[in-house]
Amino acid sequence: MSKFWSPLVSQLKPYVPGEQPKMQRLVKLNTNENPYGPSPRVLEAIRAQLDERLRLYPDPESEQLRSVIAGYHGVSPEQVFVGNGSDEVLAHIFQALLKQDRPILFPDITYSFYPVYCGLYGVESRLVPLTEDFGIDPRDYQVPNGGIIFPNPNAPTGRALPLADIERVVSGNPDSVVVVDEAYVDFGAESAITLVNRYPNLLVSQTLSKARSLAGLRIGLAIGHRDLIEALNRVKNSFNSYPLDRLAQAGAIAAFEDEAWFNETRQRVMDERERVTTAMKPMGFEVLPSSANFIFARHGTLSGAELALRLRERGIIVRHFDKPRIDNFLRITIGTVDQNDELLQALESLVG
Ligand SMILES: Cc1ncc(COP(=O)(O)O)c(C=O)c1O
């Protein structure tokens, strides 16, 4: 606290990202990164940018990247927005589209950055409880609102909503913007991008941090009606004209051009997710059905806090949220086969 802080800053409750430990030899399963590296073609494309052109500003509109993304998803470049990680894209969405006269709706258990953006931009919100089994019921979103946002699959539960249910929310709220945050969609859920040309109130955000293994490069995107994208561009160009640097733009383009790598690595993560889930159930864990690169699980007798601590003592870091309804759960990122084996052995020794 300082007398120099603005009243807004004094009141902020910032997001706390998962730990990035400095210690070597840790099994790091706490921030939903991809255990496999990015495509070698991405690294090659970035290396090809490492010359004196770094003295120049990058393309402020990321035109080439936006047109590659547009081609990939079958939309026009004017329907694509890119930003410095989807966290930045989401921040612009809150400021440009979700700050309305009525409260916006999001689930009580969801990505914990949403309430932080509300605090930063003065957006009123109302929490919609997940169902008993931690699902989203589209009927709960048929009430007056200033906008709606939820991840699909949801985080940290990993549960996905079928496309028909998403369409129900979007078509039932024609006067509100509905934002579907698809950070984890490539691990087994259906993308709502196929609906954007039919619904001018639908905006879908995605990231290259997860299935394309580029969390360190910071690339996020949003796809929707060109009027929604124009709103985001107005905020972006009032904030930072160059959110994606030269290396990020080149790397991101190469990532979309290596479909084989994308498919192979995400399939490996999905296969491992099923193996870990199947192995944990007989140990007394309830594991929610996941369509993401992580699982959300609780044990019948051991508390979430206790388990997280004991795993940490064994050099394995997972995420534990000390929040109502989910304080006994652990969110565990799917790692490499060896990392998952270490996790399963440690869990076996703790609960056995
Ligand atoms: C649901 C959800 N949305 C968005 C993000 C942000 O991802 P990034 O800023 O790396 O694109 C995350 C990161 O973990 C997430 O879990």
Side-chain angles (χ1 to χ4, degrees):
M1 196 58 112
S2 153
K3 67 175 180 180
F4 300 115
W5 288 9
S6 70
L8 171 70
V9 163
S10 308
Q11 283 170 26
L12 287 182
K13 291 194 184 68
Y15 176 74
V16 183
E19 181 188 353
Q20 293 292 349
K22 303 283 176 289
M23 298 168 272
Q24 302 289 316
R25 273 284 319 135
L26 277 178
V27 176
K28 189 177 172 309
L29 305 177
N30 66 331
T31 48
N32 296 343
E33 287 138 334
N34 193 318
Y36 306 108
S39 154
R41 282 166 65 175
V42 169
L43 305 181
E44 221 174 278
I46 291 174
R47 270 188 219 108
Q49 292 295 322
L50 293 177
D51 56 34
E52 60 84 35
R53 283 171 302 169
L54 282 176
R55 75 190 172 78
L56 300 171
Y57 284 104
D59 173 5
E61 308 308 332
S62 301
E63 270 186 42
Q64 203 189 337
L65 171 59
R66 284 179 33 247
S67 95
V68 166
I69 295 171
Y72 186 88
H73 285 296
V75 296
S76 74
E78 293 72 37
Q79 291 176 277
V80 180
F81 179 81
V82 291
N84 191 251
S86 61
D87 279 340
E88 185 185 81
V89 175
L90 290 167
H92 290 342
I93 290 172
F94 272 75
Q95 196 174 27
L97 298 165
L98 297 181
K99 189 170 163 54
Q100 304 290 351
D101 293 338
R102 285 180 168 160
I104 65 163
L105 308 178
F106 52 80
D108 61 340
I109 297 162
T110 195
Y111 187 33
S112 38
F113 226 135
Y114 300 161
V116 176
Y117 296 131
C118 287
L120 180 60
Y121 295 121
V123 175
E124 295 283 324
S125 62
R126 231 195 69 205
L127 302 184
V128 181
L130 292 182
T131 57
E132 200 61 26
D133 60 350
F134 299 98
I136 288 175
D137 185 336
R139 289 169 300 186
D140 295 339
Y141 291 80
Q142 307 300 337
V143 292
N145 63 76
I148 295 171
I149 181 165
F150 55 84
N152 191 48
N154 196 9
T157 66
R159 292 204 58 168
L161 197 61
L163 194 58
D165 281 348
I166 290 177
E167 186 163 3
R168 241 164 248 143
V169 176
V170 177
S171 65
N173 288 279
D175 298 322
S176 298
V177 173
V178 178
V179 182
V180 185
D181 172 356
E182 294 188 348
Y184 302 101
V185 74
D186 297 315
F187 298 105
E190 297 168 280
S191 176
I193 291 176
T194 51
L195 301 177
V196 295
N197 284 336
R198 282 197 281 135
Y199 295 100
N201 61 326
L202 171 62
L203 189 62
V204 178
S205 68
Q206 292 196 349
T207 178
L208 273 69
S209 299
K210 311 295 179 181
R212 293 182 198 272
S213 200
L214 288 171
L217 208 56
R218 312 303 302 130
I219 305 136
L221 60 105
I223 295 183
H225 191 281
R226 59 177 65 206
D227 290 348
L228 302 184
I229 300 304
E230 175 58 22
L232 300 182
N233 275 317
R234 290 174 73 117
V235 169
K236 171 227 163 205
N237 288 320
S238 307
F239 175 77
N240 176 8
S241 310
Y242 307 101
L244 288 197
D245 62 55
R246 197 171 276 277
L247 311 188
Q249 292 184 34
I253 290 167
F256 278 100
E257 287 170 348
D258 196 347
E259 190 70 357
W261 183 272
F262 168 67
N263 284 330
E264 195 190 308
T265 48
R266 72 193 175 113
Q267 189 59 52
R268 276 204 249 164
V269 171
M270 289 188 277
D271 292 346
E272 275 297 283
R273 178 184 69 211
E274 297 321 305
R275 182 175 78 90
V276 172
T277 302
T278 307
M280 280 175 67
K281 284 183 177 168
M283 294 183 208
F285 283 96
E286 176 195 358
V287 186
L288 298 190
S290 171
S291 300
N293 67 339
F294 57 85
I295 51 170
F296 203 50
R298 65 180 158 191
H299 191 256
T301 51
L302 286 173
S303 77
E306 165 96 8
L307 275 168
L309 194 71
R310 298 278 164 260
L311 284 173
R312 199 185 170 88
E313 287 166 1
R314 287 164 170 77
I316 300 172
I317 308 190
V318 299
R319 193 95 196 249
H320 171 248
F321 298 92
D322 195 9
K323 286 188 179 167
R325 286 188 83 185
I326 56 167
D327 54 342
N328 271 331
F329 278 88
L330 296 179
R331 193 196 68 190
I332 307 174
T333 306
I334 299 302
T336 60
V337 175
D338 288 350
Q339 289 177 321
N340 299 333
D341 281 343
E342 272 195 61
L343 168 81
L344 291 172
Q345 276 162 22
L347 289 175
E348 189 78 66
S349 74
L350 288 174
V351 304

